[in-house]
Structures are given as structure tokens and as C-alpha cells.
Amino acid sequence: MSGVILQDLNFKRESKSFIDALYAILTAAGLYEGPKYMLSALSGMAFIFTVHERLLHLSVTAYGQWVTVHKRAADSLGIYTVSDGGRTRHPTFPRYQQDAVQWIKESLDKGIGVVYWIPEFGVIYGYDDEDRVFYVQDGSNENRLVLYDNLGLNFTPFWHAQAFGDSVEIDPEQKVLEALRMAIDDWNTPYPVPPDESIASGRTAYSYLIRALMQGDYDEAGAVYILESYQQSRHEIMLFLKEAERLFPELKEASALYEQTVALFKPSEWIPTRNAKHKFINSHAMPSLIGALEKACRLEDEAVNVFRGISGRYPDLKRSMVPRWGLHMAR
Amino acid sequence: MGAKILDGLRMAVESRSYIDAMHAVLTHAGWTSYPKPVLSGMTVTGFRFVVERSLSSELATAYNWIAENFLAADFVGVTSNQAAGFTFEPTFPLYQHQAVSDMKAAIDRGRGAVFWKDRFVVAAGYDDEAGVLWYSDGEGLDLCRLSYQEFGRNVSPYWHYQILDYPVDLDPIEIYKESLVQAVYKWETHDIMLPKEDYACGREAYDAIREALETRCYDPSQAAELFRCYAASKRDISEYMDTLTSLWPELGDAAEAYRVAAASFREALDLMEEQKGMMGKESGSSLIGRMEECRQSEQKAIDVIKIFMRERIGNRFDHVGQR
């Protein structure tokens, strides 16, 4: 009987929850040094923008098959990863669940935390064989316990866990270039979870968001979550481009475009937070909000054109070949 | 430092697909006693039909290995873990190391592993001192050797391996039924990983073949290999449907239609193989005729299946493949 608790792991909700988890795990394990916004951009996650047509809360995390998207994130950072997940209703799930209990414990034994869908993404930072529980951080002050036998079970139909291993060095230029290419991919992909067209990505996500706000037929809490996450991501992209323009001076133009985008945001006017428990979108601010989003969409489109110009000057072997993995239909 | 070679683990090239490797591993582990054609049907592998518009032979394996080889195992109740990628990716050495270690661990447990060595093959042993894996690729009875450093280095820059982990008890009736629904899905749906300009799937693959034959935009030897792979799939599926007919006589017409499709595909392959170069006009149109028979027969079989499985298909609304 044994157990482990990783004391140095400190999960804090600031960015997309997957990035918060990744940042906590990698920094504690010495696999990443640097600010969170760089991790968010270099992993491609900051550029992901997905919106459900009714602005449901799930919009922010419905950015595709997690195993695929999160593998892409680790690849672009040069970090080995293994993950599993899917629908808990499938008959093989109990076996995969017990398998995951083992590999999660092995990762913790090596001193590396594990990303876990609670939901939202959180971090498994310890286990205790005697009580057969995992310790999970969700960003609140109280930590959670998850029984081995309940691993993966939650109110959504999905489970997901992801562990990390050794890393390789990748040139900073290559990392930035890959981030720009992921940004282009996500901007152009209309639907992140085909064949479902109720959730849109990138440029199309803007039109879903604007349309729902105009029509007034949307989920209030979801809309707030989407907008807060959206603003946070743009802030991260702006900071990332400020650094990246040292490697690619042409990015100055994109950097300026994102500064303009961020300057459009009026968070306290759009989402008055007098009552933090029940946030809502200020209906009087709606015209200003919609106007800002329309403008931001044009600015981002221009920025992606800058990315495209840079990307086109360097070979892109990976995207010039049809892979044998990646995009697939829900199964 | 260790070494081990598993007794009696050999792959035979018959289905000309992933099934050859999977069947070798599962039968050796004692997890299945189904004949290959039945496994080909139950895993849905035999129902897959993807062509590149110039009929290149690489294309029988142009599909999402990670998604579909997972599903193949999942459908028959075997859990697996796998990984794949490009060898030119910076992280490849990390994965190569783990792949060798995972396959050795499987062999230590007495089980083979599937991996990609220019086709799907089976790891059957290793020797740490020599730093090599022993694998069976179906060519002859001898095992081939592959140094640990060469794992993943193939003619094309793809690497992949799959460890088939544990058997899970599933009701065979449910497996058969699901495979029928998935057959409809494969016939009607384009694989979203593949660009539509270059690839065609299911029903549309027949249109692409017809167009390539009519415009003569293909390499005959490549096309012949492609036809060999799919002639094997269609033959497997025809046998599979015969098996299901003994459970459900209502499927008799579907089995008969697949029998016709398999026979026509075989004739088309013979015509292909008789040609030493590009096809003459007469045999060209005869080949097109055979393919048209195949297409019609497969459509007929799918129509029968759709009636038989109408309730489950109806419950899946706009995504038949979603379980």
C-alpha cells in the first residue's frame, strides 16, 4: 500500500482550464519554464475559439477530440504525452478506467501530475492506495477526492486523462511558426466536432456568437463564460506576439492588430460583476459589445493573414502530407 | 537485458489489411477463435473502402489508424493502446523509445503487438543484447529483424504501433448488429481526415475508380495492388455475411449481393492483372462493367441492411457511426 502527494503542484484558474492544468503540471515537474501566456500560445490553445449556437457553457471546451487537440499541444512543446478518454457509456470503459488508474499512479510516482476532466479540466496531484482515491485540484480552495472506481465518471458523457513524460528541445523559431500555423488552422476550421454544426470555430465562431447575442436566444452563464475566456485568450495572444516579434519582426503588424482588439474590450461594462455568483451580460451594453466583436473579427482576420504570409515562406512538411491520425468523427 | 521469442506467433497475408496482424495477435493470445473473414466484418475493417483518385496502392491503408484501429479492437471487446506520428517530428525519438519498451512488455506478457513496417506486421520477439525486435510480416515463416533504432523508419514517414491489452466480454449478437450499422456508415460517409479532392470513400469510391479507368489516369501496377487488397476485403465481407445469414435469414439477400460484388471484384482484378501495361479499350470497358456490377450489388446489400437495422439507425439521427 502506498501513496504520493505532489506538494509543489499549484493549479490556478486563469486561462482555458486545460492550460491551467498543463501549466501547473509542467512547471512543477520542471518541464516548462516561462509565463502561462506563452504556454497557452505555443501549445495552440490560446488560438482556439469555439462557440455553440446557443452559447452553452460547453462551448469553451468543445474544441474537438481532446485526445487529438491535447496531443497537438504536447507535440508543439516537444513533450511526450499519453492520454485516454472517450464516452463512459461504451462497454470497454471499465477496463480502460482500471488501466488509467495504473498509468496515472505511475505518472504520480515519477513526480508528474495528470490532467483530468472533472469537468472542467483539473489536475490529479496525488493518490492513496489504502483509501483507493486520487486527489484532484479544481482551482477552488477545497480539493476533491475521486475514488479509483469512479475515475472518469461525471455528469458529462466523456472522460479524459492525460500524462506527460520526457521532452526534447525545439528551436524557438520553430515553436512560434507552429503556433502561427495552429492559429491559421483553427481560424479556418468551421466546425471543431464534425458532423455537429451547432458548434463553430474561429471565424465562424464569431458569427455564431454575434448572431446569438443579437437574437437574444442564448444561455446566460455560458455567454459570460465564453466572453471571459475569449478576452483572456486575446490578452494572451497579444502578450505572446509581443515576444514573438523579436524572432519574426513581421509579427509587429499582427501584434498591433491584437493590441487594437484588446483595446476594444470593456469587461466591466459588458459583464457587471457586482454579484459575482450570478454574472450576466449587461443588456444596455449589447450594441457596444456586438460592435466590438464585429470589429475584433476583422482585426483577427487581418492578423491571421499576417500569420499566413510568414507561414508560407517556410516549408511545412507536416501539413503537406495526409496523416494517419487526427480528425475523426465522433465515435 | 532480456530476450524472448513467442512460440507459434506468425502472421499470414490473406485479408491484405490490418486484420492479418490483428488476427495473428488475438488468436495467439487465445482471445478469439473467429476466422479472419468474420473478424474482418466484426471489426468493420472489411467494410472500409477508400481510394485515391489516381488509384495508388498506398491507399488501401490511407485511413485514420489511431481512430479506426482503436475502434476495430473496441468493437470486438479488446482494449488497446497505440500511438502514431511522423518520423520527422522532433518528439519521434521519445515515442520510438516508448514503442519499443511497450512492445517488449507485451511480449514479456506472452502477447504480440501490431506495428507498421511498410504494412501492418506483428512483433513476436526481441533481443536486448542485439538490440532488435523480431517480427512476422507474412512473407515466409522466418521472423524478420528490426533494430530498435530502426523502429518507425519506413518508406513513408509514418510510424504506428498498437498493443492489444485485455479482452472484455461482449455479446456477439451486439457486435454483429453494430458492424452492420457501421457498414452503412462506411458506405455513405466520407472520412473527414482525407481531402475530398484526392480521396473517395464507400459508395463514392466506385465513382472515383470509374473516372480513373475512363480517363486512364492511373499506374496499372499500383491499381492492381489496390484491387488485390479490396478484392480480399470484399471476399471476407461476403463470407462474413454468409455467417450472419445463418443467424438472421432476412439478411440472405444482402449476403447474396455481397457474393456477387466479391465475384465481380475478383473478375475485375483478373482483368487488371492480365494487362501488362495500360489497358486496351475493350478490356477497359469490360473492367468498368465489372465495377458497375460491384457498385450496384453493394448498394443493394446496404439497402437490405438498412431495412434490417432500421430501428437502431433511426435512433442515431444524422450520425449513423456514433455509438
Side-chain angles (χ1 to χ4, degrees):
Chain A
M1 287 297 156
S2 59
V4 161
I5 287 186
L6 305 179
Q7 302 286 2
D8 296 338
L9 224 146
N10 182 18
F11 174 81
K12 204 169 158 205
R13 276 315 304 276
E14 291 165 333
S15 180
K16 288 196 176 74
S17 60
F18 173 72
I19 281 302
D20 293 330
L22 190 65
Y23 182 80
I25 292 164
L26 298 185
T27 48
L31 287 163
Y32 176 78
E33 278 176 32
K36 199 181 263 188
Y37 64 82
M38 284 303 278
L39 187 76
S40 187
L42 292 175
S43 64
M45 297 302 296
F47 299 99
I48 289 174
F49 175 39
T50 48
V51 174
H52 183 270
E53 59 190 358
R54 288 205 58 250
L55 314 189
L56 299 182
H57 203 269
L58 57 78
S59 298
V60 177
T61 47
Y63 42 70
Q65 307 290 339
W66 290 330
V67 169
T68 305
V69 180
H70 295 169
K71 168 79 164 39
R72 179 184 85 159
D75 283 346
S76 58
L77 299 163
I79 297 171
Y80 175 87
T81 190
V82 46
S83 66
D84 203 357
R87 284 172 196 262
T88 47
R89 71 162 176 261
H90 288 156
T92 47
F93 166 71
R95 186 64 246 184
Y96 279 111
Q97 179 199 44
Q98 291 312 306
D99 202 29
V101 169
Q102 286 313 311
W103 60 257
I104 290 170
K105 282 164 57 178
E106 282 164 24
S107 178
L108 294 165
D109 286 339
K110 282 185 280 187
I112 307 178
V114 173
V115 173
Y116 178 65
W117 177 247
I118 296 174
E120 289 298 324
F121 291 103
V123 170
I124 299 179
Y125 69 102
Y127 71 91
D128 183 334
D129 267 344
E130 202 161 332
D131 294 337
R132 294 178 55 81
V133 291
F134 287 114
Y135 302 110
V136 180
Q137 294 184 11
D138 64 1
S140 70
N141 290 328
E142 287 164 45
N143 290 324
R144 295 171 182 243
L145 299 177
V146 174
L147 292 170
Y148 290 173
D149 292 335
N150 288 344
L151 185 78
L153 300 174
N154 57 71
F155 70 78
T156 73
F158 310 103
W159 73 286
H160 182 79
Q162 180 173 17
F164 305 91
D166 292 341
S167 65
V168 291
E169 226 20 85
I170 300 179
D171 289 340
E173 288 86 354
Q174 283 303 316
K175 278 194 198 169
V176 169
L177 196 55
E178 180 57 25
L180 301 181
R181 285 169 171 162
M182 290 188 280
I184 299 167
D185 290 344
D186 284 317
W187 186 249
N188 291 331
T189 303
Y191 309 111
V193 278
D196 189 346
E197 295 187 2
S198 66
I199 301 167
S201 161
R203 187 196 289 121
T204 318
Y206 265 107
S207 60
Y208 273 41
L209 177 56
I210 292 167
R211 189 181 61 200
L213 291 174
M214 277 179 160
Q215 293 175 346
D217 177 25
Y218 60 84
D219 180 83
E220 186 84 56
V224 168
Y225 185 33
I226 290 168
L227 271 181
E228 288 184 335
S229 170
Y230 161 83
Q231 293 176 74
Q232 174 65 20
S233 293
R234 263 96 217 120
H235 197 71
E236 290 174 346
I237 296 168
M238 181 189 77
L239 295 173
F240 155 73
L241 290 173
K242 275 267 153 246
E243 284 201 35
E245 67 182 44
R246 281 188 251 151
L247 298 170
F248 294 92
E250 311 92 299
L251 281 177
K252 281 206 173 71
E253 194 190 337
S255 183
L257 289 163
Y258 269 97
E259 274 177 36
Q260 290 178 51
T261 306
V262 170
L264 296 168
F265 301 159
K266 294 178 179 139
S268 57
E269 188 188 319
W270 295 346
I271 306 166
T273 50
R274 267 163 311 183
N275 184 350
K277 265 196 191 131
H278 175 69
K279 292 185 185 177
F280 59 93
I281 295 181
N282 181 1
S283 56
H284 299 299
M286 204 54 93
S288 125
L289 171 57
I290 289 168
L293 290 172
E294 283 168 343
K295 182 98 193 289
C297 182
R298 287 195 296 273
L299 292 169
E300 284 207 66
D301 203 40
E302 278 183 59
V304 172
N305 275 332
V306 176
F307 300 164
R308 213 175 273 124
I310 296 170
S311 170
R313 293 210 310 276
Y314 302 88
D316 189 355
L317 199 48
K318 190 157 76 174
R319 285 174 185 75
S320 61
M321 301 190 68
V322 174
R324 298 290 184 265
W325 48 84
L327 198 58
H328 63 82
M329 302 275 259
R331 58 203 181 185
Chain B
M1 291 302 231
K4 183 166 179 173
I5 290 182
L6 297 175
D7 271 346
L9 175 54
R10 291 291 183 283
M11 180 180 118
V13 177
E14 289 159 347
S15 293
R16 298 185 165 273
S17 71
Y18 164 77
I19 286 300
D20 289 329
M22 184 200 212
H23 184 265
V25 174
L26 296 189
T27 47
H28 178 264
W31 293 346
T32 187
S33 52
Y34 289 110
K36 257 188 213 185
V38 176
L39 194 65
S40 180
M42 292 168 91
T43 58
V44 193
T45 306
F47 290 104
R48 183 185 310 112
F49 187 33
V50 179
V51 301
E52 194 217 22
R53 296 186 186 278
S54 65
L55 309 186
S56 96
S57 62
E58 158 238 358
L59 269 303
T61 54
Y63 65 92
N64 191 326
W65 297 343
I66 289 284
E68 301 204 17
N69 293 350
F70 158 79
L71 273 181
D74 209 50
F75 285 139
V76 295
V78 173
T79 64
S80 70
N81 72 73
Q82 45 174 353
F86 288 122
T87 40
F88 55 75
E89 289 262 21
T91 49
F92 169 62
L94 303 174
Y95 286 96
Q96 184 191 45
H97 181 79
Q98 191 63 40
V100 170
S101 151
D102 286 350
M103 288 192 288
K104 280 167 54 182
I107 291 162
D108 283 338
R109 290 195 301 271
R111 281 168 224 141
V114 177
F115 75 98
W116 181 254
K117 177 63 193 161
D118 302 316
R119 70 171 79 159
F120 291 110
V121 299
V122 169
Y126 70 93
D127 183 339
D128 276 339
E129 203 164 332
V132 296
L133 288 168
W134 294 103
Y135 69 95
S136 168
D137 66 357
E139 303 283 336
L141 284 175
D142 291 335
L143 293 177
C144 311
R145 82 190 248 148
L146 179 73
S147 81
Y148 294 163
Q149 290 80 25
E150 283 303 300
F151 168 81
R153 303 205 179 274
N154 294 296
V155 173
S156 52
Y158 306 109
W159 62 269
H160 169 269
Y161 72 105
Q162 182 182 32
I163 310 293
L164 295 156
D165 270 322
Y166 299 97
V168 174
D169 209 16
L170 297 185
D171 176 4
I173 296 295
E174 275 306 304
I175 300 177
Y176 300 145
K177 284 185 173 170
E178 185 57 34
S179 74
L180 294 172
V181 174
Q182 297 290 332
V184 173
Y185 173 66
K186 285 273 173 257
W187 179 248
E188 295 183 343
T189 317
H190 184 82
D191 178 346
I192 53 175
M193 189 195 77
L194 301 169
K196 263 202 154 169
E197 318 82 86
D198 303 328
Y199 299 85
C201 305
R203 169 169 60 199
E204 290 173 359
Y206 280 110
D207 300 331
I209 292 175
R210 185 191 182 101
E211 207 182 307
L213 293 174
E214 280 174 353
T215 57
R216 300 165 152 237
C217 291
Y218 64 94
D219 169 340
S221 69
Q222 295 264 322
E225 178 54 25
L226 181 77
F227 272 55
R228 261 190 291 281
C229 292
Y230 285 124
S233 293
K234 311 287 179 201
R235 180 203 60 218
D236 281 353
I237 289 309
S238 163
E239 289 183 35
Y240 177 59
M241 292 303 290
D242 279 342
T243 310
L244 296 197
T245 303
S246 61
L247 285 168
W248 296 297
E250 308 93 295
L251 288 172
D253 287 347
E256 176 56 28
Y258 275 120
R259 202 174 304 132
V260 172
S264 303
F265 216 104
R266 175 73 229 184
E267 288 165 24
L269 170 61
D270 291 343
L271 283 168
M272 267 290 188
E273 285 179 327
E274 280 166 21
Q275 305 300 314
K276 290 289 174 240
M278 200 45 93
M279 206 158 273
K281 251 209 163 95
E282 205 172 303
S283 36
S285 64
S286 164
L287 183 59
I288 291 169
R290 293 288 93 77
M291 294 317 287
E292 182 56 22
E293 279 167 22
C294 295
R295 191 186 63 77
Q296 286 179 10
S297 303
E298 282 209 57
Q299 182 64 59
K300 197 169 151 196
I302 293 292
D303 291 344
V304 174
I305 290 174
K306 281 177 91 164
I307 293 168
F308 181 65
M309 293 303 300
R310 62 189 173 278
E311 193 174 336
R312 187 179 296 204
I313 289 171
N315 286 341
R316 296 198 177 171
F317 302 101
D318 53 350
H319 183 10
V320 176
Q322 171 71 69
R323 296 175 293 157

